[in-house]
Amino acid sequence: MTSELKAHFHQYFGGNPIIAFAPGRINLIGEHTDYQEGFVFPAAVQFGIWTGVQKNELPFCRLYSMDFEEEFTFDWKSFSPKKGHWSTYVMGFLAQLKQAGYPFEGFDMVIGGNIPLGAGLSSSAALSVSIGTALSQLFGLKFNPLSISKYAQNSEHQFAGVNCGIMDPYASAFGKKNHALLLDCRSNQHQEIPIDLGEYSLLLVNSNVKHSLADSAYNQRRAACEESVQLLRAHFPYIQTLRDLKNENLNEVEKLLPSSLFPKAKHVITECERVQLAANYLKQGDLKAFGKLMNESHRSLSRDYEVSCPELDFLAEKAWEFPGVLGARMMGGGFGGCTINLIPIEQISTFQNKIEQSYVENFGVAPTFIQVKISEGAKIMS
Ligand code: GLA
């Protein structure tokens, strides 16, 4: 990809760009907890986004997207990102630099990547982190990975309209080969946990559906958590977020919240505990116990948090029935995207054939299978 990107850069702009790379991410467990300052357990994967950049001494920034085969030019002194276009991620990041008072000037940029789109591997976070890593190097800003993650998150809030948490850009920026990041989204610090799956592998099954209400439902879930915190403070004055409550508080929480809010709060509280347990099981190499937590996480996301969909429930349930699979659950924001499955390597092809057949029978579309390797986070390539 690096040489392909260089070739495109040469063709469109000439010269020798700085090239940055940032990967997509998976999440082992800990879903919809990051925006409640809870715990998550993501890892970077082998797919990502490459950004080549060079100053151009012009009043414009000139961009080229290899994926969309499209050019885009804008005035860097006065620009306004438009929602829904890939260039938004460049202008969105630049807007963060502008707001923070960092100097910048005109540049040429080529962007290319190989993240399967719509799979829930956070291609948009990878794109922002890749752009941020490239611009930090280009303008000598010396941003650390946490600053890049926060700018990427803010850009998503302001210009993509999703009030996402820090998990996706953080995993892309900090990822480490063969390690998952046990991330505390309050302190924004993580522990690197070695992941040795032995005879097992992580296989994603992409449902190939995306429901159009996904973004608004995401923001509604976040708002529901914030409302619960307000109500619960009367009884638990010390809480800042749902992360401050434990499973042992659930009985009281149930009495204090309306029935529309309680299951959602319960998901966040129990999921935070599952993440901590999961990290301990993985440290001990107990894949079976970890797999059970994945299944519980799915049930909680589906029944209590209501962010699953028939396709994801079907894929998880089929995987649970499959002998040998240790765990399966929906991954990411939900309402589409993929499931993550912990499966014996030697059974992957039988599993794929079976799932594909029954999924096509039920939904009329084929799922896509993606075997992931836990890989390095963002870096400068040259
Ligand atoms: C999306 C968001 C993340 C996180 C997950 C759910 O991927 O971008 O911040 O909330 O959903 O865990």
Side-chain angles (χ1 to χ4, degrees):
M1 186 54 87
T2 307
S3 50
E4 221 184 301
L5 193 132
K6 273 190 178 159
H8 274 85
F9 205 96
H10 202 77
Q11 182 190 337
Y12 280 89
F13 308 118
N16 195 15
I18 291 167
I19 297 183
F21 166 78
R25 66 100 188 90
I26 52 168
N27 188 20
L28 297 179
I29 194 164
E31 225 62 88
H32 286 275
T33 49
D34 58 352
Y35 50 79
Q36 280 294 300
E37 301 181 337
F39 296 92
V40 292
F41 203 9
V45 294
Q46 75 269 34
F47 308 105
I49 309 270
W50 285 257
T51 301
V53 71
Q54 180 179 260
K55 289 182 189 172
N56 65 9
E57 287 167 14
L58 293 172
F60 312 107
C61 289
R62 300 183 298 189
L63 316 178
Y64 179 74
S65 158
M66 288 166 60
D67 292 342
F68 293 96
E69 297 182 357
E70 193 187 7
E71 291 175 61
F72 190 91
T73 298
F74 65 92
D75 176 346
W76 60 266
K77 285 198 177 127
S78 136
F79 57 88
S80 46
K82 262 191 258 104
K83 198 179 159 179
H85 192 257
W86 57 270
S87 61
T88 301
Y89 289 91
V90 182
M91 288 188 266
F93 205 96
L94 226 41
Q96 305 308 311
L97 300 189
K98 202 172 181 178
Q99 279 162 30
Y102 288 104
F104 57 84
E105 56 185 279
F107 56 81
D108 296 330
M109 181 180 271
V110 173
I111 301 170
N114 61 5
I115 305 186
L117 289 178
L121 287 172
S122 286
S123 51
S124 60
L127 176 56
S128 291
V129 172
S130 183
I131 292 165
T133 306
L135 293 179
S136 170
Q137 181 78 9
L138 182 71
F139 297 123
L141 302 173
K142 298 196 167 67
F143 287 150
N144 60 34
L146 185 59
S147 315
I148 293 181
S149 312
K150 287 184 172 168
Y151 288 134
Q153 184 192 15
N154 285 341
S155 165
E156 190 93 12
H157 285 190
Q158 287 176 18
F159 303 109
V162 183
N163 293 328
C164 59
I166 191 91
M167 170 168 75
D168 303 347
Y170 192 103
S172 179
F174 281 94
K176 186 165 182 210
K177 192 172 180 192
N178 298 330
H179 288 70
L181 311 177
L182 176 58
L183 167 61
D184 177 337
C185 299
R186 171 164 285 163
S187 64
N188 287 329
Q189 288 182 339
H190 70 271
Q191 271 179 60
E192 291 169 351
I193 310 287
I195 302 296
D196 177 7
L197 300 177
E199 309 289 289
Y200 286 80
S201 179
L202 292 169
L203 179 73
L204 307 184
V205 184
N206 187 354
S207 65
N208 287 324
V209 294
K210 174 157 171 70
H211 294 275
S212 57
L213 292 177
D215 290 354
S216 57
Y218 185 94
N219 292 345
Q220 281 163 15
R221 293 300 178 282
R222 185 175 180 146
C225 290
E226 284 158 13
E227 198 184 335
S228 292
V229 171
Q230 291 306 322
L231 293 170
L232 290 169
R233 271 212 192 115
H235 191 77
F236 299 103
Y238 60 87
I239 68 167
Q240 296 300 316
T241 60
L242 293 173
R243 172 248 169 87
D244 295 311
L245 293 164
K246 301 266 173 294
N247 286 2
E248 69 211 36
N249 302 122
L250 283 173
N251 284 340
E252 275 170 290
V253 170
E254 184 163 20
K255 287 182 204 137
L256 296 161
L257 291 180
S259 59
S260 57
L261 288 178
F262 172 67
K264 310 238 166 10
K266 180 182 163 203
H267 165 74
V268 177
I269 295 166
T270 57
E271 185 79 351
C272 284
E273 297 223 353
R274 279 189 287 274
V275 176
Q276 316 252 34
L277 279 173
N280 284 335
Y281 287 141
L282 283 178
K283 279 184 200 158
Q284 296 157 14
D286 191 343
L287 296 183
K288 260 194 176 157
F290 168 64
K292 286 197 179 130
L293 291 174
M294 293 173 78
N295 301 348
E296 273 178 42
S297 169
H298 182 85
R299 281 190 277 268
S300 177
L301 286 158
S302 178
R303 294 181 197 159
D304 290 336
Y305 214 60
E306 297 184 272
V307 289
S308 187
C309 61
E311 293 88 346
L312 290 173
D313 285 343
F314 180 91
L315 289 173
E317 281 158 24
K318 283 283 165 209
W320 298 340
E321 287 165 13
F322 193 88
V325 170
L326 294 185
R329 63 176 201 86
M330 56 153 280
M331 190 181 82
F335 304 101
C338 61
T339 57
I340 177 168
N341 302 265
L342 183 56
I343 177 169
I345 294 166
E346 59 174 34
Q347 289 184 17
I348 289 181
S349 67
T350 327
F351 175 81
Q352 290 187 177
N353 291 338
K354 248 198 140 146
I355 294 280
E356 170 153 6
Q357 199 187 343
S358 54
Y359 191 77
V360 170
E361 272 166 26
N362 276 269
F363 298 104
V365 257
T368 317
F369 300 94
I370 307 165
Q371 213 174 324
V372 286
K373 282 198 221 92
I374 297 185
S375 309
E376 281 305 316
K379 57 187 172 199
I380 294 291
M381 309 292 293
S382 57

